Short mmCIF file of all heavy atoms in Angstrom, two decimals:
data_model
loop_
_atom_site.label_atom_id
_atom_site.label_comp_id
_atom_site.label_asym_id
_atom_site.label_seq_id
_atom_site.Cartn_x
_atom_site.Cartn_y
_atom_site.Cartn_z
N ASP R 95 -54.80 -38.55 -19.87
CA ASP R 95 -55.04 -39.79 -19.15
C ASP R 95 -56.24 -39.64 -18.23
O ASP R 95 -56.26 -38.80 -17.32
CB ASP R 95 -53.78 -40.14 -18.35
CG ASP R 95 -53.90 -41.46 -17.65
OD1 ASP R 95 -54.96 -42.08 -17.78
OD2 ASP R 95 -52.93 -41.85 -16.98
N ASN R 237 -50.74 -54.08 -52.55
CA ASN R 237 -49.39 -54.62 -52.73
C ASN R 237 -48.46 -53.91 -51.75
O ASN R 237 -48.03 -52.79 -51.97
CB ASN R 237 -48.90 -54.40 -54.17
CG ASN R 237 -47.69 -55.23 -54.50
OD1 ASN R 237 -46.81 -55.42 -53.66
ND2 ASN R 237 -47.62 -55.72 -55.73
N VAL R 381 -66.21 -66.74 -35.04
CA VAL R 381 -64.94 -66.14 -35.47
C VAL R 381 -63.93 -67.27 -35.62
O VAL R 381 -63.63 -68.00 -34.65
CB VAL R 381 -64.45 -65.10 -34.46
CG1 VAL R 381 -63.08 -64.58 -34.87
CG2 VAL R 381 -65.45 -63.95 -34.36
N ILE R 480 -55.11 -48.95 -27.24
CA ILE R 480 -54.83 -50.25 -26.60
C ILE R 480 -53.41 -50.22 -26.05
O ILE R 480 -52.45 -50.01 -26.79
CB ILE R 480 -54.98 -51.39 -27.62
CG1 ILE R 480 -56.37 -51.36 -28.24
CG2 ILE R 480 -54.71 -52.73 -26.96
CD1 ILE R 480 -56.56 -52.35 -29.37
N GLU R 560 -23.22 -76.10 -14.42
CA GLU R 560 -24.05 -75.32 -15.33
C GLU R 560 -24.59 -74.08 -14.64
O GLU R 560 -24.63 -72.98 -15.22
CB GLU R 560 -25.20 -76.19 -15.84
CG GLU R 560 -26.03 -75.56 -16.93
CD GLU R 560 -25.27 -75.38 -18.22
OE1 GLU R 560 -24.32 -76.17 -18.47
OE2 GLU R 560 -25.59 -74.44 -18.97
N HIS R 621 -13.83 -63.62 -19.61
CA HIS R 621 -13.17 -63.82 -18.32
C HIS R 621 -11.65 -63.76 -18.45
O HIS R 621 -10.93 -64.19 -17.55
CB HIS R 621 -13.57 -65.19 -17.74
CG HIS R 621 -15.04 -65.47 -17.84
ND1 HIS R 621 -15.55 -66.58 -18.46
CD2 HIS R 621 -16.10 -64.74 -17.43
CE1 HIS R 621 -16.87 -66.55 -18.41
NE2 HIS R 621 -17.23 -65.43 -17.79
N ILE R 651 -2.92 -69.38 -23.96
CA ILE R 651 -4.03 -68.42 -23.90
C ILE R 651 -3.60 -67.15 -23.18
O ILE R 651 -3.94 -66.04 -23.59
CB ILE R 651 -5.25 -69.06 -23.20
CG1 ILE R 651 -5.79 -70.20 -24.04
CG2 ILE R 651 -6.33 -68.02 -22.93
CD1 ILE R 651 -6.87 -70.99 -23.36
#
Side-chain angles (χ1 to χ4, degrees):
D95 184 359
N237 194 323
V381 175
I480 304 173
E560 188 67 28
H621 315 124
I651 295 173

